[in-house]
Amino acid sequence: MSGNRCAARRPLPTHPPPLTVDDPFWLEAPIDALVTALTEGHGAIPRELAAHLRDRAAAALHAAPQESSRLADALLSRAVQEDAPPAVLAIAWRARAEAAIYLGKLRLANRAYEQASSLAGAARDSALRGQILVGWVHVLGMLGDRGSSEARASEAEQLLRRSGDEEYLRKLLMNRAGLLYHEERYAEAYDTYQRVVRRFERSGTLDGTYVALRLNLAVACTNLLRLEEAREIFVGTEDLARQIGLEFVVGHARFNRAELERLEGRYRVALPLLISAQEVFTAVGARDMRASVDRAQAEIHLDLEMPEEAQAHAASAVAAFREEGMELDAALSELLLARAEIALGLPEEAEHRLAAIRAYLQRSRLPLRVAQTDLERARALLQRGRSAEAGRAARKATRALERHDRPAQAAMARSVWARATLQSGLPRAAEQLLQGLLPTLGRFAPAVRQQVWTTAAECAEACADRAEAERRYRQAAAAVEAERRMVPRGELRTRVFDRQSSVYRALLQLAITEPRPRLDAVLRWILASRARGYLDRSVPVTRSGSARLETKRNDLASLTRRIEQLEFVGGSGATDLRAMRVRRRSLERGLAAEFRTLEARAGQAGRGRDRISLQRLQGRLADDDGLIIYQITRDRIVALVLRASSARLHALPCDLSEIEGDLARLRLQIDTMTVTSGAGLTESTDANIGGGNIAFQRRAADRLLASLSERLLEPILSSLPPTGRLLVVPHGSLHQVPFEALRVDGEYVDTRWSVVRTPLAGSETGTARSPVDAGVLLAGVELPELPELRAELEMVADRLGAGRDGLCVNPTRAQLLAQLPKRRAIHLATHGRFREDNPAFSSLTVADGVVFVADLADLALSADLVVLSACSTGRVFPGRGEDLAGVAHAFLAAGAQSLVAPLWRIREGATRDWMAAFYRAWATHGSVALATRSAARSTRERWDHPYFWGAFTCHLARI
């Protein structure tokens, strides 16, 4: 910095400066000017000037490695061009090597050091050669060539002692500590780093090398599991690096601290650190560190049950490390690839990969890494059902990891060993393997505690010890809650929940199979096992991001609309359509990754778990309310039925396959009606549909609806009120059941009850939001398939007394998203698409594209009522951990208090009649549930098939 200030006071020369280190230009000019002078000038560079320029390049390494690289390249080019003496060439090649290290180009650095060392030898400059060998030792160690590295280190020590170079002897000792670290001799590396730190501090040399040294000391601490000491050093070193302007080193500090936080399961802290470090490494072009970030991200994604993302990051890291000749780093990244393959259900591919990795690590004499490979092989074998082999591999890994003082990994290996033993039919032996470990679990990260306690609980179950199994599952559940708090909310937390929710499902299974089930416990474990993502989405995470991100969102919305248009026209443009779909998938993957990055950067904790007691829930029910909470368990379907003064658990006398069979046949009927229903079906129940009679079609549908009712409603009729409201909380594929149209005792359900769906999770936590205004939004998009849209909007406006001037016909994406948060009542009439393959990109069509479910996560709605007159917008995808994904639940999570939406594709004329009846009844009763019931009953007087009137579902955000 001082050189820049001096240069500003003194004009730079307009002619090539004298080639002498005494000239002020070489001392004061910024690097850009030095590069220009070296590139445009002529004449041999003296040794002293070459050494000074190398020092300038070295001083810039920690703060601006790319600038250092430019200066080194210019110096080397000039030296080669002028056929400089060997000593000058050696200095120039050395500068090139040092810059290459910081840019992650280790093969280039290795070749440059080889040239520099040879030229220094030819110049008989032992002091220079000794300094060059110190840097070469570091590169050889990183490339895994420990034999050559140690030989160069011994030679460098002799030369440096002969020249009395204490500064480089300290640096040599630092690099030797690095060799010890790469040999997994972490305690020796730690002690050596401590000695070097003391030497630097005694010398008063607190420069970039000293800062990097302290980082290495903290990394050694991390590997010795002295985590608090490591954290303190990382934080202090980051502060020091920032004070002296070493942003590149700040990136290193954050990267390494992210790994420390990951070890303790603190993903909410680790992810923002890792993202920040990645930005630094990308800015300076440090390829090896970018690859290291990829590897760290792969490890975190594996921890968070996201194997596809982990696989992509690990593959990228492998390719980058291989390109730079960093075989050890490539092998460790391949180990993560194998873990991803196991998680993806590809154990055979993983086994082949693990065999090659193990052979390399054995040749490299790295027993700790070999043990980690054996642990992954045990997991792969266990997945393939080869429990005896898995047990042997896990036993070997356990003993090696315990020998190397890796308690957390040893605990995981012992858990796999016990699970393999359990699979072999030896529950008592499996139990014995874990007995000594269980009392020590409190010191481990939540993920480790969860895995071991879950395995121990399964052992207790196999030994028929229900009480101990429940106690252990509760310990696993406590670990789940601790881990959830450490994961940023949003998709990251949702994705990890599938693994976590298995613990609650096990507790639920124990609760419902007790001779006298405790219903408060049953309710507790039902609630705990599902709907976490829905809860988290009810507090918006901003995904607005940068202008570049918004452009991507708009591009995807526009592309999706073009695909819709081509699909509607059909026939032509098949090749274009395929290409568009490929591009859409690519854009969706990219946007999903960026959304996760924004959520991780925010690091928000979100809300805690709901505490809804049985008594409090019953206190919210009216006397004529019946609340049915369905739950699919390991071996049955149960229904917990609550009324204001009673509660009962029913085990339904059917299995899921029977219900799913009925649903598939009903879906086929609905699809047939969608394709074949004609305009003649407006007046007569005798009109033909594709050659068949509508009465015949209705009887077939009614039989399926009666069958579903026989399985899901009739076994619990004695617990339900005779009339009133049925509040239904579906589970899994039961979300697709049209409860509103089921038949009981020969009549449709709505002759007795108003059916309302609720996610239940929001019943205690929903927060009312003050509206910006009390207006009504009536919006729709004129499409060829919706010729009566304007008539529908005008009818709704008349019913609500809103006036037709307020109609919003053909809104753009930006206009609709801007208007949604402001209105008390919202009616949207447009084309809707449910994406079961990717629910976050389910959509509503607008004039210039679509609005995605993912867009609604940014909104805080004020609406008491949202009505979606758009096909399939009431469909729900019960994803990982029963997360509720779809257009309807996106609106509810964003703040809508009640919502009406169809389960399937709807017919326009029937929908107009349904909406007229709905708004007429809503104006009379003020109840969405009663209005939905009334609209269905009124519409079927004219449209005599459930297809026409049975699609619309009523949802309440809370009871």
Side-chain angles (χ1 to χ4, degrees), residues 585-789:
R585 284 195 296 272
S586 176
L587 282 172
E588 287 173 353
R589 284 194 297 268
L591 273 174
E594 294 210 43
F595 290 157
R596 288 194 297 272
T597 298
L598 287 170
E599 291 161 357
R601 191 193 302 278
Q604 293 169 295
R607 63 166 86 251
R609 185 161 59 90
D610 262 356
R611 296 287 185 180
I612 308 177
S613 68
L614 194 70
Q615 293 73 23
R616 291 182 69 184
L617 198 52
Q618 287 178 293
R620 290 177 175 267
L621 299 176
D623 290 340
D624 60 349
D625 282 344
L627 173 62
I628 311 170
I629 306 172
Y630 288 102
Q631 183 73 26
I632 300 167
T633 70
R634 291 177 184 169
D635 58 357
R636 68 187 75 189
I637 301 172
V638 298
L640 178 60
V641 182
L642 304 183
R643 295 190 60 187
S645 58
S646 65
R648 187 175 173 188
L649 182 68
H650 295 264
L652 302 185
C654 64
D655 61 44
L656 189 60
S657 64
E658 295 171 334
I659 292 172
E660 290 180 340
D662 282 346
L663 284 173
R665 288 185 284 275
L666 182 62
R667 175 65 62 184
L668 180 61
Q669 275 245 355
I670 296 300
D671 290 344
T672 301
M673 291 292 295
T674 301
V675 172
T676 61
S677 61
L681 292 173
T682 57
E683 301 294 342
S684 171
T685 59
D686 295 325
N688 288 333
I689 306 172
N693 187 277
I694 190 170
F696 172 80
Q697 298 284 351
R698 188 199 64 236
R699 286 193 296 271
D702 284 351
R703 282 194 295 272
L704 291 170
L705 293 167
S707 176
L708 286 167
S709 181
E710 181 182 346
R711 304 181 198 282
L712 293 171
L713 280 184
E714 291 186 14
I716 62 176
L717 280 178
S718 60
S719 300
L720 298 176
T723 59
R725 283 195 311 174
L726 283 190
L727 296 145
V728 182
V729 183
H731 185 221
S733 54
L734 302 187
H735 281 286
Q736 311 311 321
V737 175
F739 288 95
E740 300 77 4
L742 297 187
R743 291 180 66 82
V744 179
D745 295 336
E747 296 179 316
Y748 292 115
V749 161
D750 60 24
T751 61
R752 297 191 188 187
W753 302 287
S754 301
V755 178
V756 177
R757 297 170 188 244
T758 173
L760 188 62
S763 60
E764 293 284 320
T765 57
T767 56
R769 299 184 174 99
S770 299
V772 175
D773 62 49
V776 176
L777 174 63
L778 305 176
V781 180
E782 294 179 306
L783 301 166
E785 61 268 37
L786 300 176
E788 299 182 38
L789 175 125

Side-chain angles (χ1 to χ4, degrees), residues 17 26 28 30 151 233 280 361 406 408 474 478 498 581 635 714 751 792 874:
W26 302 108
E28 301 170 355
I233 298 172
V280 173
L361 294 172
R406 284 289 176 276
R474 284 176 178 268
D498 195 41
R581 285 171 175 161
D635 58 357
E714 291 186 14
T751 61
E792 178 182 327

Side-chain angles (χ1 to χ4, degrees), residues 228-461:
E228 284 307 315
E229 180 183 352
R231 185 178 285 108
E232 184 178 343
I233 298 172
F234 278 134
V235 172
T237 304
E238 183 179 335
D239 289 343
L240 179 59
R242 191 181 297 107
Q243 288 170 20
I244 58 180
L246 304 180
E247 283 303 313
F248 186 57
V249 181
V250 169
H252 273 271
R254 289 177 179 168
F255 168 77
N256 286 295
R257 186 153 65 94
E259 172 60 13
L260 182 154
E261 302 295 351
R262 186 196 70 81
L263 287 173
E264 294 196 307
R266 301 176 192 274
Y267 303 107
R268 228 168 8 102
V269 179
L271 283 163
L273 288 170
L274 202 58
I275 292 165
S276 174
Q278 183 180 36
E279 290 169 351
V280 173
F281 300 144
T282 300
V284 300
R287 297 192 62 211
D288 62 331
M289 291 309 301
R290 289 207 312 272
S292 296
V293 169
D294 265 326
R295 187 170 67 199
Q297 287 180 320
E299 199 140 21
I300 287 178
H301 282 122
L302 284 169
D303 291 348
L304 299 181
E305 301 294 321
M306 300 169 71
E308 298 92 346
E309 291 82 356
Q311 189 178 40
H313 283 295
S316 176
V318 169
F321 284 133
R322 284 257 156 79
E323 193 171 333
E324 292 304 322
M326 301 171 70
E327 288 303 320
L328 174 59
D329 290 277
L332 298 181
S333 302
E334 278 221 82
L335 188 56
L336 297 178
L337 264 181
R339 281 183 58 190
E341 287 167 343
I342 294 168
L344 290 168
L346 303 170
E348 291 187 47
E349 288 86 339
E351 270 197 85
H352 292 307
R353 191 182 301 279
L354 288 166
I357 296 169
R358 193 179 196 280
Y360 168 78
L361 294 172
Q362 278 188 311
R363 288 195 304 272
S364 302
R365 300 191 302 279
L366 297 171
L368 175 57
R369 302 297 188 182
V370 170
Q372 292 168 345
T373 307
D374 285 337
L375 171 56
E376 299 310 323
R377 180 169 177 268
R379 286 176 168 145
L381 291 165
L382 193 60
Q383 195 175 99
R384 295 184 66 188
R386 293 158 59 182
S387 51
E389 291 176 77
R392 288 193 292 271
R395 180 181 62 210
K396 184 187 297 184
T398 301
R399 291 174 175 168
L401 291 165
E402 289 173 344
R403 201 164 49 245
H404 285 84
D405 194 24
R406 284 289 176 276
Q409 290 178 323
M412 297 288 265
R414 187 169 285 275
S415 176
V416 174
W417 183 6
R419 193 174 290 276
T421 306
L422 187 61
Q423 259 192 23
S424 298
L426 301 168
R428 298 290 177 189
E431 173 81 12
Q432 192 63 36
L433 284 173
L434 296 176
Q435 280 300 316
L437 177 60
L438 297 182
T440 71
L441 288 179
R443 62 184 173 139
F444 296 126
V448 178
R449 299 203 306 268
Q450 183 205 335
Q451 176 168 318
V452 179
W453 278 120
T454 301
T455 303
E458 290 171 359
C459 291
E461 274 194 284

